[in-house]
Amino acid sequence: MSTVITITNQKGGTGKTTTAAALLAGLSAKGHSVLGIDFDPQMNLTYAVEGKEGYSIYGILIKENQASDAIQHTKEHGDFIIGSQYLSSIGTVLTGPGSEFRLREQLAPVRDKYEYIIIDTPPALGILTVNALTASDKVVIPVQASMYDIQGIVQLGDTIAQVKQYTNRDIVVDGILVTRYNARLVLSRYLTKNLRDTIAPKLKTKIYHTTIRDAVGIREAAMEQRSMFAYAPDSPGVEDYRHFVDEFLSDK
Ligand SMILES: Nc1ncnc2c1ncn2[C@@H]1O[C@H](COP(=O)(O)OP(=O)(O)OP(=O)(O)O)[C@@H](O)[C@H]1O
Ligand SMILES: [Mg+2]
C-alpha cells in the first residue's frame, strides 16, 4: 500500500510545486515507485515534469476516466497524472454528500502500484485541497522563511483538524519545510525559531532539520523541465532538497 502525501499551503509561492517535483525526482532516482498528481489549475507541476496532453485529474474527479487511463510515464519524475485548467471550476461539479472523498475513491484502484503518491495543491483551502487531504496519509507544509504568515498556517492547521475529525482520521502532518532560507537574514532565523516554538506544536508536527536555500538552479531546472538533481546537482538548494528527501525517508 502506498503512502499518499499532500504538499500544501494556501499561501502562494512557498515552494509547494518545487517540493513536489523534488520528492518525485528524488524518490524515483532512488528506485522508489512514485506517482505525482497535479491538483492545481495553474498546472506548474505538469509543466515542470513535462506532462503530455491527455486525460487529466479533472476527468478522474468527475468520473469520466479511471486513474489508470490517465497515468503517464515521465522521464525523470516517475509516473504522473496531469492537472487541468478546469480544476478551477471543480467546485461547481464536485458537490453533494461525499464529494470530499472523490479523489480517495478514484485513487483506490492504483494505490497498490506505488510506494509514494505525491499531490501538489493550489494556493487555496477549497474543495481541491480538502479532497487531497482526505486522500492522504501525510502532509508536508512548505513555508517561505522570509514571508510566512502565522495566521495563514494556523488556518491551515484548522482545516487539517477538520479533515481529521470528519473525513480522514489518520492524517498526520509529517512536517513543516522552511524554504527560500537565507541564514544571513535575521528575519529568516527569527521566523524559523517562531515556527519551531509556536506553530509546529499547534499542528502537532515538527520542522524538518533541513532548510532549503534559494538557488538559481532550482528555478532553472523547473523552466527546463528537468529533474533538479540531474540538471543542477551541485547547486546549494538542490543539495538541500537531496537532504530533505533523505530526511523524509528516514523517519517513516
Ligand atoms: N529554493 C528555491 N530557490 C530558487 N527558486 C525557488 C526555490 N523554491 C521555489 N523557487 C521558485 O519560486 C517560484 C515559486 O515556487 P513554487 O512554484 O514551488 O511555489 P508554489 O508554492 O508551488 O506556488 P503556488 O502557490 O503558485 O502554487 C518558482 O518560480 C520556483 O521555481
Ligand atoms: Mg504550485
Side-chain angles (χ1 to χ4, degrees):
M1 199 61 159
S2 56
T3 303
V4 183
I5 303 133
T6 285
I7 319 292
T8 194
N9 187 333
Q10 77 273 32
K11 196 173 182 76
T14 63
K16 293 180 286 296
T17 300
T18 304
T19 301
L23 281 170
L24 288 169
L27 292 171
S28 111
K30 283 177 184 292
H32 295 286
S33 57
V34 299
L35 172 68
I37 300 177
D38 189 350
F39 233 44
D40 184 349
Q42 299 179 98
M43 296 176 71
N44 295 145
L45 186 59
T46 298
Y47 179 82
V49 308
E50 212 178 354
K52 302 283 185 273
E53 262 179 56
Y55 292 137
S56 76
I57 193 68
Y58 181 82
I60 294 171
L61 288 174
I62 64 170
K63 290 190 172 172
E64 227 163 62
N65 313 116
Q66 304 293 317
S68 53
D69 300 333
I71 292 172
Q72 314 186 358
H73 307 296
T74 70
K75 287 197 207 99
E76 296 176 314
H77 296 85
D79 281 4
F80 196 72
I81 299 177
I82 62 168
S84 160
Q85 63 190 70
Y86 298 113
L87 285 172
S88 58
S89 59
I90 195 78
T92 59
V93 278
L94 212 56
T95 55
S99 52
E100 298 94 338
F101 294 91
R102 186 62 59 84
L103 179 66
R104 188 183 187 98
E105 279 166 12
Q106 293 290 79
L107 280 186
V110 299
R111 271 196 71 159
D112 279 347
K113 289 180 59 181
Y114 298 96
E115 287 170 83
Y116 298 98
I117 299 180
I118 314 274
I119 308 169
D120 184 30
T121 59
L125 285 178
I127 183 72
L128 283 169
T129 297
V130 169
N131 252 266
L133 293 171
T134 300
S136 292
D137 303 295
K138 293 183 177 183
V139 185
V140 173
I141 304 175
V143 169
Q144 191 172 341
S146 58
M147 52 177 280
Y148 86 89
D149 88 278
I150 293 183
Q151 229 17 64
I153 302 177
V154 170
Q155 209 187 340
L156 172 57
D158 290 345
T159 298
I160 294 168
Q162 284 163 6
V163 164
K164 197 173 170 65
Q165 183 175 359
Y166 296 114
T167 62
N168 183 7
R169 181 157 28 105
D170 299 326
I171 193 163
V172 170
V173 181
D174 193 65
I176 295 173
L177 178 66
V178 179
T179 65
R180 324 295 300 271
Y181 187 84
N182 185 340
R184 280 170 312 191
L185 287 186
V186 177
L187 185 67
S188 282
R189 276 184 278 146
Y190 169 76
L191 292 177
T192 304
K193 179 173 167 16
N194 196 7
L195 270 177
R196 184 165 287 125
D197 295 346
T198 65
I199 301 295
K202 268 208 182 81
L203 271 68
K204 298 190 182 64
T205 191
K206 62 177 184 281
I207 313 290
Y208 294 108
H209 292 297
T210 313
T211 53
I212 310 295
R213 285 168 286 181
D214 230 78
V216 194
I218 290 182
R219 193 181 293 272
E220 285 177 354
M223 287 188 311
E224 298 291 328
Q225 302 183 295
R226 294 292 314 278
S227 151
M228 64 173 75
F229 303 111
Y231 180 83
D234 301 325
S235 160
V238 173
E239 187 187 333
D240 296 339
Y241 267 116
R242 198 176 296 119
H243 288 147
F244 168 65
V245 172
D246 288 341
E247 184 178 352
F248 179 82
L249 281 173
S250 68
D251 63 2
K252 294 204 221 10

